Amino acid sequence: MNTTTYTIDAKGKKLGRVAAEAATYLMGKNRADFVRYKTPNTKVIIVNAAKLSLTEKKQQSTVYKSYSGYQGGLKIENLAALSARRGYREGLRRAIRGMLPNNKLRPGMLKRVIISD
């Protein structure tokens, strides 16, 4: 099968809008031959991730949690701290991950996302 490549320019766009568009392409919901149990052979390239339109309120209110399983092992980080530590691409990747279905197909879909600053 041929690989279909979609390019999304994130300059001036909101984080959720870009993530929703990328998730739609990765699941294949824009195709006529869409079925839930298969992933299409598509690749999504997102350019200008550092030029996303993010307000200060969104950066402070968006919270990412990770729990180690031990007592007191809950780590909470907001989008501003995450983007300072790992760049805007990590926040965008996590937003796309949250919009994909939580099943065996999700890791394969996430491997076909390329995010560049």
mmCIF file of all heavy atoms in Angstrom, residues 19-72:
data_model
loop_
_atom_site.group_PDB
_atom_site.id
_atom_site.type_symbol
_atom_site.label_atom_id
_atom_site.label_comp_id
_atom_site.label_asym_id
_atom_site.label_seq_id
_atom_site.Cartn_x
_atom_site.Cartn_y
_atom_site.Cartn_z
ATOM 1 N N ALA A 19 -4.104 19.068 17.229
ATOM 2 C CA ALA A 19 -4.115 17.692 17.708
ATOM 3 C C ALA A 19 -5.319 16.929 17.175
ATOM 4 O O ALA A 19 -5.210 15.754 16.810
ATOM 5 C CB ALA A 19 -4.114 17.669 19.230
ATOM 6 N N ALA A 20 -6.477 17.571 17.115
ATOM 7 C CA ALA A 20 -7.678 16.912 16.611
ATOM 8 C C ALA A 20 -7.554 16.587 15.122
ATOM 9 O O ALA A 20 -7.961 15.509 14.670
ATOM 10 C CB ALA A 20 -8.896 17.790 16.854
ATOM 11 N N GLU A 21 -6.956 17.496 14.374
ATOM 12 C CA GLU A 21 -6.761 17.265 12.945
ATOM 13 C C GLU A 21 -5.789 16.110 12.711
ATOM 14 O O GLU A 21 -6.026 15.238 11.870
ATOM 15 C CB GLU A 21 -6.240 18.548 12.293
ATOM 16 C CG GLU A 21 -6.163 18.494 10.790
ATOM 17 C CD GLU A 21 -5.707 19.805 10.181
ATOM 18 O OE1 GLU A 21 -5.557 20.796 10.923
ATOM 19 O OE2 GLU A 21 -5.481 19.820 8.960
ATOM 20 N N ALA A 22 -4.710 16.083 13.484
ATOM 21 C CA ALA A 22 -3.725 15.007 13.351
ATOM 22 C C ALA A 22 -4.334 13.661 13.752
ATOM 23 O O ALA A 22 -4.099 12.643 13.090
ATOM 24 C CB ALA A 22 -2.502 15.310 14.207
ATOM 25 N N ALA A 23 -5.125 13.634 14.824
ATOM 26 C CA ALA A 23 -5.743 12.387 15.266
ATOM 27 C C ALA A 23 -6.739 11.868 14.231
ATOM 28 O O ALA A 23 -6.847 10.655 14.018
ATOM 29 C CB ALA A 23 -6.436 12.601 16.611
ATOM 30 N N THR A 24 -7.453 12.757 13.571
ATOM 31 C CA THR A 24 -8.395 12.358 12.530
ATOM 32 C C THR A 24 -7.672 11.684 11.371
ATOM 33 O O THR A 24 -8.112 10.650 10.862
ATOM 34 C CB THR A 24 -9.178 13.579 12.016
ATOM 35 O OG1 THR A 24 -9.846 14.193 13.114
ATOM 36 C CG2 THR A 24 -10.190 13.187 10.967
ATOM 37 N N TYR A 25 -6.550 12.267 10.962
ATOM 38 C CA TYR A 25 -5.765 11.677 9.873
ATOM 39 C C TYR A 25 -5.176 10.327 10.280
ATOM 40 O O TYR A 25 -5.157 9.389 9.489
ATOM 41 C CB TYR A 25 -4.641 12.610 9.446
ATOM 42 C CG TYR A 25 -5.107 13.857 8.737
ATOM 43 C CD1 TYR A 25 -4.440 15.057 8.915
ATOM 44 C CD2 TYR A 25 -6.204 13.853 7.892
ATOM 45 C CE1 TYR A 25 -4.845 16.213 8.270
ATOM 46 C CE2 TYR A 25 -6.623 14.997 7.246
ATOM 47 C CZ TYR A 25 -5.938 16.177 7.436
ATOM 48 O OH TYR A 25 -6.345 17.308 6.794
ATOM 49 N N LEU A 26 -4.677 10.225 11.515
ATOM 50 C CA LEU A 26 -4.044 8.984 11.965
ATOM 51 C C LEU A 26 -5.037 7.832 12.071
ATOM 52 O O LEU A 26 -4.707 6.687 11.774
ATOM 53 C CB LEU A 26 -3.366 9.200 13.313
ATOM 54 C CG LEU A 26 -2.109 10.041 13.292
ATOM 55 C CD1 LEU A 26 -1.667 10.361 14.705
ATOM 56 C CD2 LEU A 26 -1.003 9.335 12.544
ATOM 57 N N MET A 27 -6.268 8.125 12.500
ATOM 58 C CA MET A 27 -7.284 7.078 12.602
ATOM 59 C C MET A 27 -7.877 6.727 11.248
ATOM 60 O O MET A 27 -8.459 5.664 11.084
ATOM 61 C CB MET A 27 -8.411 7.519 13.544
ATOM 62 C CG MET A 27 -8.009 7.537 14.985
ATOM 63 S SD MET A 27 -9.376 7.919 16.074
ATOM 64 C CE MET A 27 -9.523 9.684 15.861
ATOM 65 N N GLY A 28 -7.751 7.633 10.278
ATOM 66 C CA GLY A 28 -8.304 7.388 8.952
ATOM 67 C C GLY A 28 -9.748 7.780 8.818
ATOM 68 O O GLY A 28 -10.438 7.322 7.903
ATOM 69 N N LYS A 29 -10.228 8.639 9.710
ATOM 70 C CA LYS A 29 -11.641 9.022 9.671
ATOM 71 C C LYS A 29 -11.968 9.936 8.495
ATOM 72 O O LYS A 29 -13.136 10.174 8.204
ATOM 73 C CB LYS A 29 -12.038 9.708 10.980
ATOM 74 C CG LYS A 29 -12.154 8.749 12.118
ATOM 75 C CD LYS A 29 -13.046 9.295 13.179
ATOM 76 C CE LYS A 29 -13.462 8.185 14.113
ATOM 77 N NZ LYS A 29 -14.546 8.575 14.968
ATOM 78 N N ASN A 30 -10.971 10.448 7.812
ATOM 79 C CA ASN A 30 -11.212 11.296 6.651
ATOM 80 C C ASN A 30 -11.298 10.477 5.362
ATOM 81 O O ASN A 30 -11.527 11.030 4.307
ATOM 82 C CB ASN A 30 -10.103 12.333 6.524
ATOM 83 C CG ASN A 30 -8.742 11.685 6.340
ATOM 84 O OD1 ASN A 30 -8.471 10.620 6.885
ATOM 85 N ND2 ASN A 30 -7.882 12.315 5.574
ATOM 86 N N ARG A 31 -11.128 9.172 5.448
ATOM 87 C CA ARG A 31 -11.105 8.304 4.279
ATOM 88 C C ARG A 31 -12.454 7.611 4.086
ATOM 89 O O ARG A 31 -13.185 7.362 5.047
ATOM 90 C CB ARG A 31 -10.006 7.258 4.426
ATOM 91 C CG ARG A 31 -8.628 7.860 4.575
ATOM 92 C CD ARG A 31 -7.616 6.839 4.988
ATOM 93 N NE ARG A 31 -7.597 5.698 4.096
ATOM 94 C CZ ARG A 31 -6.650 5.464 3.187
ATOM 95 N NH1 ARG A 31 -5.643 6.292 3.089
ATOM 96 N NH2 ARG A 31 -6.700 4.398 2.417
ATOM 97 N N ALA A 32 -12.745 7.250 2.849
ATOM 98 C CA ALA A 32 -14.003 6.567 2.552
ATOM 99 C C ALA A 32 -13.972 5.112 3.001
ATOM 100 O O ALA A 32 -15.011 4.531 3.295
ATOM 101 C CB ALA A 32 -14.288 6.641 1.059
ATOM 102 N N ASP A 33 -12.788 4.525 3.101
ATOM 103 C CA ASP A 33 -12.670 3.119 3.486
ATOM 104 C C ASP A 33 -12.325 2.958 4.973
ATOM 105 O O ASP A 33 -11.641 2.019 5.358
ATOM 106 C CB ASP A 33 -11.620 2.414 2.626
ATOM 107 C CG ASP A 33 -10.250 3.052 2.729
ATOM 108 O OD1 ASP A 33 -10.148 4.168 3.272
ATOM 109 O OD2 ASP A 33 -9.275 2.434 2.268
ATOM 110 N N PHE A 34 -12.853 3.833 5.813
ATOM 111 C CA PHE A 34 -12.564 3.817 7.252
ATOM 112 C C PHE A 34 -13.198 2.612 7.930
ATOM 113 O O PHE A 34 -14.381 2.328 7.758
ATOM 114 C CB PHE A 34 -13.079 5.108 7.906
ATOM 115 C CG PHE A 34 -13.096 5.063 9.406
ATOM 116 C CD1 PHE A 34 -11.913 5.129 10.116
ATOM 117 C CD2 PHE A 34 -14.279 4.942 10.107
ATOM 118 C CE1 PHE A 34 -11.914 5.087 11.499
ATOM 119 C CE2 PHE A 34 -14.300 4.901 11.486
ATOM 120 C CZ PHE A 34 -13.111 4.972 12.181
ATOM 121 N N VAL A 35 -12.381 1.882 8.706
ATOM 122 C CA VAL A 35 -12.862 0.848 9.609
ATOM 123 C C VAL A 35 -12.109 1.023 10.921
ATOM 124 O O VAL A 35 -10.948 1.391 10.943
ATOM 125 C CB VAL A 35 -12.659 -0.580 9.051
ATOM 126 C CG1 VAL A 35 -13.639 -0.878 7.931
ATOM 127 C CG2 VAL A 35 -11.240 -0.797 8.585
ATOM 128 N N ARG A 36 -12.775 0.747 12.033
ATOM 129 C CA ARG A 36 -12.180 1.005 13.344
ATOM 130 C C ARG A 36 -11.044 0.058 13.701
ATOM 131 O O ARG A 36 -10.181 0.404 14.484
ATOM 132 C CB ARG A 36 -13.247 0.913 14.427
ATOM 133 C CG ARG A 36 -14.255 2.003 14.357
ATOM 134 C CD ARG A 36 -15.110 2.031 15.604
ATOM 135 N NE ARG A 36 -16.093 3.083 15.520
ATOM 136 C CZ ARG A 36 -15.848 4.361 15.796
ATOM 137 N NH1 ARG A 36 -14.653 4.719 16.155
ATOM 138 N NH2 ARG A 36 -16.796 5.257 15.685
ATOM 139 N N TYR A 37 -11.044 -1.138 13.162
ATOM 140 C CA TYR A 37 -10.090 -2.146 13.586
ATOM 141 C C TYR A 37 -8.804 -2.165 12.764
ATOM 142 O O TYR A 37 -7.963 -3.030 12.963
ATOM 143 C CB TYR A 37 -10.734 -3.533 13.563
ATOM 144 C CG TYR A 37 -11.312 -3.938 12.219
ATOM 145 C CD1 TYR A 37 -10.533 -4.591 11.275
ATOM 146 C CD2 TYR A 37 -12.631 -3.667 11.916
ATOM 147 C CE1 TYR A 37 -11.053 -4.959 10.058
ATOM 148 C CE2 TYR A 37 -13.167 -4.029 10.710
ATOM 149 C CZ TYR A 37 -12.367 -4.676 9.778
ATOM 150 O OH TYR A 37 -12.895 -5.037 8.562
ATOM 151 N N LYS A 38 -8.636 -1.230 11.838
ATOM 152 C CA LYS A 38 -7.406 -1.140 11.045
ATOM 153 C C LYS A 38 -6.873 0.279 11.086
ATOM 154 O O LYS A 38 -7.637 1.242 11.159
ATOM 155 C CB LYS A 38 -7.672 -1.506 9.590
ATOM 156 C CG LYS A 38 -7.946 -2.946 9.344
ATOM 157 C CD LYS A 38 -8.092 -3.193 7.863
ATOM 158 C CE LYS A 38 -8.455 -4.618 7.565
ATOM 159 N NZ LYS A 38 -8.696 -4.834 6.136
ATOM 160 N N THR A 39 -5.561 0.383 11.020
ATOM 161 C CA THR A 39 -4.955 1.704 10.903
ATOM 162 C C THR A 39 -4.564 1.927 9.457
ATOM 163 O O THR A 39 -3.976 1.039 8.829
ATOM 164 C CB THR A 39 -3.715 1.840 11.795
ATOM 165 O OG1 THR A 39 -2.784 0.818 11.445
ATOM 166 C CG2 THR A 39 -4.070 1.736 13.251
ATOM 167 N N PRO A 40 -4.871 3.086 8.919
ATOM 168 C CA PRO A 40 -4.475 3.349 7.531
ATOM 169 C C PRO A 40 -2.973 3.597 7.456
ATOM 170 O O PRO A 40 -2.319 3.891 8.456
ATOM 171 C CB PRO A 40 -5.271 4.608 7.177
ATOM 172 C CG PRO A 40 -5.480 5.281 8.469
ATOM 173 C CD PRO A 40 -5.620 4.189 9.489
ATOM 174 N N ASN A 41 -2.448 3.469 6.287
ATOM 175 C CA ASN A 41 -1.016 3.673 6.075
ATOM 176 C C ASN A 41 -0.776 5.166 5.829
ATOM 177 O O ASN A 41 -0.503 5.586 4.706
ATOM 178 C CB ASN A 41 -0.544 2.822 4.894
ATOM 179 C CG ASN A 41 0.940 2.636 4.895
ATOM 180 O OD1 ASN A 41 1.628 3.088 5.805
ATOM 181 N ND2 ASN A 41 1.451 1.989 3.873
ATOM 182 N N THR A 42 -0.910 5.966 6.891
ATOM 183 C CA THR A 42 -0.753 7.409 6.780
ATOM 184 C C THR A 42 0.351 7.894 7.708
ATOM 185 O O THR A 42 0.640 7.282 8.723
ATOM 186 C CB THR A 42 -2.048 8.145 7.159
ATOM 187 O OG1 THR A 42 -2.383 7.816 8.500
ATOM 188 C CG2 THR A 42 -3.183 7.778 6.243
ATOM 189 N N LYS A 43 0.939 9.004 7.329
ATOM 190 C CA LYS A 43 1.965 9.645 8.135
ATOM 191 C C LYS A 43 1.579 11.122 8.267
ATOM 192 O O LYS A 43 1.135 11.732 7.297
ATOM 193 C CB LYS A 43 3.320 9.531 7.446
ATOM 194 C CG LYS A 43 4.477 10.066 8.247
ATOM 195 C CD LYS A 43 5.768 10.015 7.462
ATOM 196 C CE LYS A 43 6.242 8.596 7.367
ATOM 197 N NZ LYS A 43 7.578 8.497 6.739
ATOM 198 N N VAL A 44 1.714 11.669 9.468
ATOM 199 C CA VAL A 44 1.358 13.067 9.713
ATOM 200 C C VAL A 44 2.614 13.818 10.121
ATOM 201 O O VAL A 44 3.317 13.416 11.048
ATOM 202 C CB VAL A 44 0.284 13.185 10.814
ATOM 203 C CG1 VAL A 44 -0.009 14.636 11.124
ATOM 204 C CG2 VAL A 44 -0.980 12.474 10.393
ATOM 205 N N ILE A 45 2.894 14.900 9.417
ATOM 206 C CA ILE A 45 4.038 15.753 9.721
ATOM 207 C C ILE A 45 3.492 17.098 10.183
ATOM 208 O O ILE A 45 2.710 17.733 9.465
ATOM 209 C CB ILE A 45 4.940 15.935 8.487
ATOM 210 C CG1 ILE A 45 5.461 14.578 8.020
ATOM 211 C CG2 ILE A 45 6.087 16.875 8.798
ATOM 212 C CD1 ILE A 45 6.164 14.608 6.692
ATOM 213 N N ILE A 46 3.898 17.515 11.375
ATOM 214 C CA ILE A 46 3.455 18.797 11.921
ATOM 215 C C ILE A 46 4.658 19.720 11.971
ATOM 216 O O ILE A 46 5.663 19.405 12.609
ATOM 217 C CB ILE A 46 2.840 18.625 13.319
ATOM 218 C CG1 ILE A 46 1.646 17.679 13.251
ATOM 219 C CG2 ILE A 46 2.425 19.970 13.895
ATOM 220 C CD1 ILE A 46 1.077 17.290 14.579
ATOM 221 N N VAL A 47 4.565 20.854 11.289
ATOM 222 C CA VAL A 47 5.668 21.818 11.246
ATOM 223 C C VAL A 47 5.273 23.060 12.047
ATOM 224 O O VAL A 47 4.097 23.332 12.274
ATOM 225 C CB VAL A 47 6.031 22.199 9.795
ATOM 226 C CG1 VAL A 47 6.584 21.000 9.053
ATOM 227 C CG2 VAL A 47 4.832 22.760 9.057
ATOM 228 N N ASN A 48 6.271 23.804 12.492
ATOM 229 C CA ASN A 48 6.108 25.047 13.269
ATOM 230 C C ASN A 48 5.382 24.798 14.584
ATOM 231 O O ASN A 48 4.510 25.573 14.979
ATOM 232 C CB ASN A 48 5.379 26.122 12.463
ATOM 233 C CG ASN A 48 6.159 26.585 11.261
ATOM 234 O OD1 ASN A 48 7.388 26.621 11.296
ATOM 235 N ND2 ASN A 48 5.472 26.919 10.188
ATOM 236 N N ALA A 49 5.744 23.746 15.292
ATOM 237 C CA ALA A 49 5.097 23.440 16.568
ATOM 238 C C ALA A 49 5.429 24.489 17.626
ATOM 239 O O ALA A 49 4.643 24.720 18.540
ATOM 240 C CB ALA A 49 5.519 22.064 17.052
ATOM 241 N N ALA A 50 6.557 25.130 17.516
ATOM 242 C CA ALA A 50 6.942 26.150 18.488
ATOM 243 C C ALA A 50 6.142 27.439 18.310
ATOM 244 O O ALA A 50 6.138 28.290 19.202
ATOM 245 C CB ALA A 50 8.428 26.452 18.376
ATOM 246 N N LYS A 51 5.445 27.577 17.191
ATOM 247 C CA LYS A 51 4.684 28.796 16.911
ATOM 248 C C LYS A 51 3.192 28.589 17.133
ATOM 249 O O LYS A 51 2.364 29.300 16.567
ATOM 250 C CB LYS A 51 4.953 29.250 15.491
ATOM 251 C CG LYS A 51 6.409 29.633 15.269
ATOM 252 C CD LYS A 51 6.683 30.011 13.858
ATOM 253 C CE LYS A 51 8.158 30.303 13.670
ATOM 254 N NZ LYS A 51 8.497 30.527 12.271
ATOM 255 N N LEU A 52 2.839 27.612 17.972
ATOM 256 C CA LEU A 52 1.436 27.402 18.328
ATOM 257 C C LEU A 52 0.901 28.605 19.080
ATOM 258 O O LEU A 52 1.640 29.292 19.784
ATOM 259 C CB LEU A 52 1.291 26.170 19.222
ATOM 260 C CG LEU A 52 1.276 24.808 18.562
ATOM 261 C CD1 LEU A 52 1.430 23.731 19.601
ATOM 262 C CD2 LEU A 52 -0.007 24.600 17.797
ATOM 263 N N SER A 53 -0.385 28.847 18.964
ATOM 264 C CA SER A 53 -1.031 29.925 19.693
ATOM 265 C C SER A 53 -1.487 29.393 21.053
ATOM 266 O O SER A 53 -2.512 28.719 21.152
ATOM 267 C CB SER A 53 -2.227 30.449 18.894
ATOM 268 O OG SER A 53 -2.936 31.396 19.646
ATOM 269 N N LEU A 54 -0.687 29.654 22.087
ATOM 270 C CA LEU A 54 -1.004 29.201 23.443
ATOM 271 C C LEU A 54 -1.111 30.406 24.360
ATOM 272 O O LEU A 54 -0.190 31.218 24.440
ATOM 273 C CB LEU A 54 0.088 28.268 23.977
ATOM 274 C CG LEU A 54 0.176 26.894 23.350
ATOM 275 C CD1 LEU A 54 1.408 26.177 23.843
ATOM 276 C CD2 LEU A 54 -1.055 26.096 23.681
ATOM 277 N N THR A 55 -2.238 30.511 25.056
ATOM 278 C CA THR A 55 -2.396 31.601 26.009
ATOM 279 C C THR A 55 -1.730 31.224 27.323
ATOM 280 O O THR A 55 -1.447 30.049 27.591
ATOM 281 C CB THR A 55 -3.890 31.887 26.255
ATOM 282 O OG1 THR A 55 -4.490 30.720 26.813
ATOM 283 C CG2 THR A 55 -4.597 32.272 24.964
ATOM 284 N N GLU A 56 -1.480 32.223 28.140
ATOM 285 C CA GLU A 56 -0.857 31.986 29.446
ATOM 286 C C GLU A 56 -1.774 31.170 30.348
ATOM 287 O O GLU A 56 -1.317 30.313 31.110
ATOM 288 C CB GLU A 56 -0.515 33.328 30.103
ATOM 289 C CG GLU A 56 0.288 33.206 31.373
ATOM 290 C CD GLU A 56 1.688 32.672 31.139
ATOM 291 O OE1 GLU A 56 2.248 32.902 30.057
ATOM 292 O OE2 GLU A 56 2.208 32.003 32.059
ATOM 293 N N LYS A 57 -3.075 31.418 30.243
ATOM 294 C CA LYS A 57 -4.038 30.670 31.050
ATOM 295 C C LYS A 57 -4.028 29.189 30.679
ATOM 296 O O LYS A 57 -4.094 28.317 31.548
ATOM 297 C CB LYS A 57 -5.436 31.255 30.854
ATOM 298 C CG LYS A 57 -6.497 30.580 31.679
ATOM 299 C CD LYS A 57 -7.850 31.223 31.454
ATOM 300 C CE LYS A 57 -8.927 30.509 32.238
ATOM 301 N NZ LYS A 57 -10.250 31.062 31.992
ATOM 302 N N LYS A 58 -3.946 28.888 29.382
ATOM 303 C CA LYS A 58 -3.913 27.493 28.937
ATOM 304 C C LYS A 58 -2.636 26.804 29.416
ATOM 305 O O LYS A 58 -2.657 25.652 29.826
ATOM 306 C CB LYS A 58 -4.002 27.434 27.412
ATOM 307 C CG LYS A 58 -3.829 26.047 26.821
ATOM 308 C CD LYS A 58 -4.909 25.097 27.239
ATOM 309 C CE LYS A 58 -6.125 25.268 26.372
ATOM 310 N NZ LYS A 58 -7.158 24.263 26.673
ATOM 311 N N GLN A 59 -1.522 27.506 29.394
ATOM 312 C CA GLN A 59 -0.256 26.924 29.822
ATOM 313 C C GLN A 59 -0.257 26.616 31.316
ATOM 314 O O GLN A 59 0.358 25.641 31.752
ATOM 315 C CB GLN A 59 0.907 27.846 29.490
ATOM 316 C CG GLN A 59 1.197 27.917 28.016
ATOM 317 C CD GLN A 59 2.392 28.798 27.715
ATOM 318 O OE1 GLN A 59 2.974 29.410 28.600
ATOM 319 N NE2 GLN A 59 2.755 28.849 26.449
ATOM 320 N N GLN A 60 -0.941 27.421 32.107
ATOM 321 C CA GLN A 60 -0.978 27.189 33.545
ATOM 322 C C GLN A 60 -2.055 26.188 33.950
ATOM 323 O O GLN A 60 -1.889 25.452 34.927
ATOM 324 C CB GLN A 60 -1.197 28.515 34.301
ATOM 325 C CG GLN A 60 -0.086 29.526 34.103
ATOM 326 C CD GLN A 60 1.265 29.014 34.553
ATOM 327 O OE1 GLN A 60 1.385 28.304 35.531
ATOM 328 N NE2 GLN A 60 2.311 29.406 33.818
ATOM 329 N N SER A 61 -3.167 26.138 33.212
ATOM 330 C CA SER A 61 -4.288 25.293 33.630
ATOM 331 C C SER A 61 -4.204 23.861 33.102
ATOM 332 O O SER A 61 -4.823 22.968 33.668
ATOM 333 C CB SER A 61 -5.610 25.916 33.181
ATOM 334 O OG SER A 61 -5.683 25.941 31.772
ATOM 335 N N THR A 62 -3.453 23.634 32.025
ATOM 336 C CA THR A 62 -3.303 22.281 31.503
ATOM 337 C C THR A 62 -2.311 21.525 32.373
ATOM 338 O O THR A 62 -1.167 21.915 32.508
ATOM 339 C CB THR A 62 -2.810 22.314 30.048
ATOM 340 O OG1 THR A 62 -3.714 23.098 29.284
ATOM 341 C CG2 THR A 62 -2.738 20.919 29.471
ATOM 342 N N VAL A 63 -2.769 20.427 32.979
ATOM 343 C CA VAL A 63 -1.970 19.700 33.970
ATOM 344 C C VAL A 63 -1.758 18.268 33.492
ATOM 345 O O VAL A 63 -2.693 17.616 33.021
ATOM 346 C CB VAL A 63 -2.684 19.704 35.344
ATOM 347 C CG1 VAL A 63 -1.916 18.884 36.345
ATOM 348 C CG2 VAL A 63 -2.846 21.123 35.841
ATOM 349 N N TYR A 64 -0.535 17.804 33.612
ATOM 350 C CA TYR A 64 -0.187 16.422 33.302
ATOM 351 C C TYR A 64 0.220 15.727 34.585
ATOM 352 O O TYR A 64 1.021 16.247 35.346
ATOM 353 C CB TYR A 64 0.965 16.370 32.291
ATOM 354 C CG TYR A 64 0.622 17.052 30.988
ATOM 355 C CD1 TYR A 64 1.119 18.301 30.681
ATOM 356 C CD2 TYR A 64 -0.222 16.442 30.071
ATOM 357 C CE1 TYR A 64 0.802 18.930 29.499
ATOM 358 C CE2 TYR A 64 -0.551 17.054 28.880
ATOM 359 C CZ TYR A 64 -0.027 18.303 28.606
ATOM 360 O OH TYR A 64 -0.352 18.920 27.439
ATOM 361 N N LYS A 65 -0.341 14.545 34.822
ATOM 362 C CA LYS A 65 -0.064 13.810 36.050
ATOM 363 C C LYS A 65 0.602 12.490 35.707
ATOM 364 O O LYS A 65 0.262 11.852 34.708
ATOM 365 C CB LYS A 65 -1.353 13.522 36.819
ATOM 366 C CG LYS A 65 -2.092 14.751 37.272
ATOM 367 C CD LYS A 65 -3.382 14.364 37.957
ATOM 368 C CE LYS A 65 -4.164 15.609 38.358
ATOM 369 N NZ LYS A 65 -5.431 15.252 38.999
ATOM 370 N N SER A 66 1.523 12.068 36.566
ATOM 371 C CA SER A 66 2.106 10.731 36.457
ATOM 372 C C SER A 66 2.247 10.173 37.864
ATOM 373 O O SER A 66 2.659 10.866 38.786
ATOM 374 C CB SER A 66 3.454 10.770 35.747
ATOM 375 O OG SER A 66 4.387 11.509 36.502
ATOM 376 N N TYR A 67 1.878 8.921 38.004
ATOM 377 C CA TYR A 67 1.880 8.288 39.315
ATOM 378 C C TYR A 67 2.790 7.072 39.272
ATOM 379 O O TYR A 67 2.638 6.193 38.431
ATOM 380 C CB TYR A 67 0.456 7.874 39.701
ATOM 381 C CG TYR A 67 0.346 7.235 41.055
ATOM 382 C CD1 TYR A 67 0.789 7.897 42.194
ATOM 383 C CD2 TYR A 67 -0.184 5.975 41.202
ATOM 384 C CE1 TYR A 67 0.694 7.312 43.442
ATOM 385 C CE2 TYR A 67 -0.298 5.384 42.442
ATOM 386 C CZ TYR A 67 0.151 6.061 43.561
ATOM 387 O OH TYR A 67 0.061 5.485 44.796
ATOM 388 N N SER A 68 3.741 7.011 40.202
ATOM 389 C CA SER A 68 4.715 5.929 40.225
ATOM 390 C C SER A 68 4.165 4.657 40.848
ATOM 391 O O SER A 68 4.713 3.584 40.636
ATOM 392 C CB SER A 68 5.957 6.365 40.998
ATOM 393 O OG SER A 68 5.642 6.559 42.366
ATOM 394 N N GLY A 69 3.111 4.753 41.635
ATOM 395 C CA GLY A 69 2.561 3.600 42.314
ATOM 396 C C GLY A 69 2.922 3.569 43.783
ATOM 397 O O GLY A 69 2.356 2.802 44.548
ATOM 398 N N TYR A 70 3.878 4.387 44.176
ATOM 399 C CA TYR A 70 4.281 4.466 45.570
ATOM 400 C C TYR A 70 3.547 5.599 46.274
ATOM 401 O O TYR A 70 3.048 6.524 45.624
ATOM 402 C CB TYR A 70 5.794 4.694 45.685
ATOM 403 C CG TYR A 70 6.610 3.508 45.270
ATOM 404 C CD1 TYR A 70 7.139 3.430 43.993
ATOM 405 C CD2 TYR A 70 6.835 2.458 46.145
ATOM 406 C CE1 TYR A 70 7.885 2.334 43.599
ATOM 407 C CE2 TYR A 70 7.580 1.360 45.766
ATOM 408 C CZ TYR A 70 8.104 1.306 44.491
ATOM 409 O OH TYR A 70 8.825 0.222 44.122
ATOM 410 N N GLN A 71 3.535 5.558 47.613
ATOM 411 C CA GLN A 71 2.898 6.633 48.356
ATOM 412 C C GLN A 71 3.656 7.925 48.123
ATOM 413 O O GLN A 71 4.879 7.973 48.208
ATOM 414 C CB GLN A 71 2.897 6.308 49.843
ATOM 415 C CG GLN A 71 2.000 5.149 50.203
ATOM 416 C CD GLN A 71 2.041 4.846 51.676
ATOM 417 O OE1 GLN A 71 2.837 5.384 52.420
ATOM 418 N NE2 GLN A 71 1.156 3.957 52.103
ATOM 419 N N GLY A 72 2.910 8.969 47.857
ATOM 420 C CA GLY A 72 3.530 10.262 47.590
ATOM 421 C C GLY A 72 4.201 10.324 46.233
ATOM 422 O O GLY A 72 4.980 11.235 45.973
#
